[in-house]
Amino acid sequence: MDYQLGRVINALKETHQWDNTGLVVTSNHGEMLGAHGLWGKGTFHDSAFHVPLNVRDPTEPAMHGNTVDAMTLSIDVTPSLPNRIGVEVPDSMGGQSLLPFLTDVRAESRSESLSEFNFDNPVKPIEW
């Protein structure tokens, strides 16, 4: 991943687009990778749901390299993009814009999130 991302960044720099390009790097879920003797994403442990979210806004160079220690959700990325370019975010779009964090690492954030874990087996349903 690092190598491929480096190729993208180098291409943007070589073509003089880096200073005008926003970058968002994230994933859809965390991985256990052997933590707690588990693999994959199907647990309630932190490493299964903490995912990377890196945002670079070229108009906020003072914020580059800063870390936001606040709760965000993957669904927050989607409304952040139109919000960032000045397009109105439709009411039907879920999530909260992360734009405040691009100027203040201490911006107000949510204090909780709701998660659901389905223990069901679609091939052989579990008797509760």
Side-chain angles (χ1 to χ4, degrees), residues 25-59:
V25 179
T26 190
S27 67
N28 66 335
H29 58 78
E31 294 289 347
M32 295 305 297
L33 299 177
H36 306 283
L38 302 168
W39 293 92
K41 63 180 180 176
T43 76
F44 53 84
H45 295 291
D46 284 353
S47 52
F49 60 87
H50 283 175
V51 299
L53 174 59
N54 296 286
V55 179
R56 179 190 180 271
D57 183 345
T59 67

Side-chain angles (χ1 to χ4, degrees), residues 44-111:
F44 53 84
H45 295 291
D46 284 353
S47 52
F49 60 87
H50 283 175
V51 299
L53 174 59
N54 296 286
V55 179
R56 179 190 180 271
D57 183 345
T59 67
E60 297 291 342
M63 295 300 290
H64 295 176
N66 285 322
T67 299
V68 173
D69 189 27
M71 183 185 306
T72 62
L73 303 177
S74 297
I75 197 171
D76 296 337
V77 173
T78 306
S80 302
L81 300 177
N83 187 221
R84 171 58 189 86
I85 61 172
V87 173
E88 188 174 338
V89 178
D91 290 335
S92 61
M93 186 176 283
Q96 299 174 359
S97 175
L98 299 173
L99 201 59
F101 293 118
L102 297 181
T103 56
D104 182 1
V105 298
R106 296 175 305 265
E108 189 175 327
S109 69
R110 55 172 58 82
S111 61

